[in-house]
Amino acid sequence: MSDTVLILVRHGETEWNAAGRIQGHLDIPLSDTGLTQAAALGRRLGSEAFDAILSSDLERALQTARPIVRHSEQTILSDTRLRERHLGVLQGLTGEEAAIRQPHAWGAFKARIPEAVLEGGETYGEFSRRVVGLIEELLRTHTGSRLLLVTHGGVLDAAYRHATGMPLSAPRDFPIFNASVNMLRHRNNLWTVESWGDVSHLPREPAMDDT
C-alpha cells in the first residue's frame, strides 16, 4: 500500500503568542511577524505538490495557508476539527493571570490529566480524540496521498503523541514552533516521524508555545 504523508504546519505568530496569552478557539489574526512567517512558508511549500490542503477555520491558520496555495484550481478545505483545543475559562488569559483568576482550571491544564474537566472547554482527552479521529478519517479517504494540514500547536501535540504512542499525560519533550513544518508518514499500518519542528525557512527561530 502506498504511503500517506501528512505535512503539518502550525500557524504563524500572533500578538497573543508573543505575549503568552491563551488563544484556544478565540479568532486572533496573525501579527506582522506572523504574516512574514506565512510568506516564508509560501516560498518554502508553494512549489510542492499536495493532493489536498486542509486548514483550521480560524483566521490565523487560514492566513498562514493562503500564501502556500499557488494554483487557482487548488482550494483550501476548511475543517473545524483542525482548530486548537477549546480552553474554556482560560482563553484570553496569560499563564500568570490564569494561575490567579482560574487556579483550578489552570492546574488541570498544566497537569495534563486527560479527562480532567476544563470549565467551558474540552478535556485533553476529548481534544485528542477529535484530532485523532480526523487523522484516521484522512487515512481512509486519502490513502496514498500527500496532505498539507495548517493548524495549531495543540493539534501538532496530539498528532505527534498519536504517531509515537506517547501518553497524553507525559511531559512534552518535542518542539512546537510557530510556522514550523512537521512531517508524519504512514506505511504498513505504522507511523514514523520523518521530520519535526523544521523552521529552516524562517529568518529566526520563533519562541516555543502551544496555545
Side-chain angles (χ1 to χ4, degrees), residues 42-200:
R43 292 189 292 272
R44 164 80 181 269
L45 297 174
S47 61
E48 297 190 18
F50 301 103
D51 294 295
I53 297 176
L54 295 86
S55 174
S56 159
D57 66 325
L58 296 179
E59 185 62 18
R60 58 189 181 272
L62 289 168
Q63 285 180 297
T64 303
R66 288 176 189 131
I68 301 171
V69 180
R70 297 292 181 88
H71 304 291
S72 59
E73 67 272 13
Q74 187 144 44
T75 59
I76 298 170
L77 305 175
S78 177
D79 196 313
T80 59
R81 292 172 293 178
L82 285 171
R83 279 191 178 196
E84 183 59 275
R85 178 183 172 189
H86 195 309
L87 291 166
V89 295
L90 298 179
Q91 294 184 165
L93 304 177
T94 65
E96 293 79 7
E97 291 168 346
I100 295 169
R101 300 182 195 176
Q102 299 289 344
H104 178 74
W106 182 243
F109 172 70
K110 297 297 285 184
R112 295 181 178 273
I113 301 170
E115 303 308 327
V117 175
L118 184 59
E119 184 182 347
E122 295 173 283
T123 69
Y124 197 11
E126 288 169 340
F127 170 66
S128 176
R129 288 189 288 274
R130 162 161 64 89
V131 174
V132 171
L134 172 60
I135 290 173
E136 294 300 319
E137 179 182 304
L138 292 175
L139 282 181
R140 294 192 301 271
T141 59
H142 291 76
T143 301
S145 297
R146 193 167 187 269
L147 307 175
L148 176 66
L149 279 59
V150 183
T151 185
H152 304 265
V155 175
L156 265 65
D157 178 275
Y160 184 97
R161 291 171 187 272
H162 176 62
T164 63
M166 184 178 187
L168 297 183
S169 57
R172 177 157 55 83
D173 61 359
F174 51 93
I176 295 178
F177 295 123
N178 283 112
S180 59
V181 177
N182 311 272
M183 184 185 299
L184 301 177
R185 182 181 299 274
H186 190 264
R187 175 190 295 167
N188 297 328
N189 294 317
L190 294 174
W191 285 103
T192 56
V193 179
E194 293 285 292
S195 63
W196 197 264
D198 183 357
V199 290
S200 59

Side-chain angles (χ1 to χ4, degrees), residues 10 13-23 28 31 92-97 178 207-209 211:
R10 188 188 176 197
E13 186 175 284
T14 68
E15 290 184 1
W16 281 28
N17 286 141
R21 194 167 295 281
I22 298 167
Q23 298 173 116
I28 310 303
S31 64
L93 304 177
T94 65
E96 293 79 7
E97 291 168 346
N178 283 112
M208 186 163 62
D209 162 78
T211 58

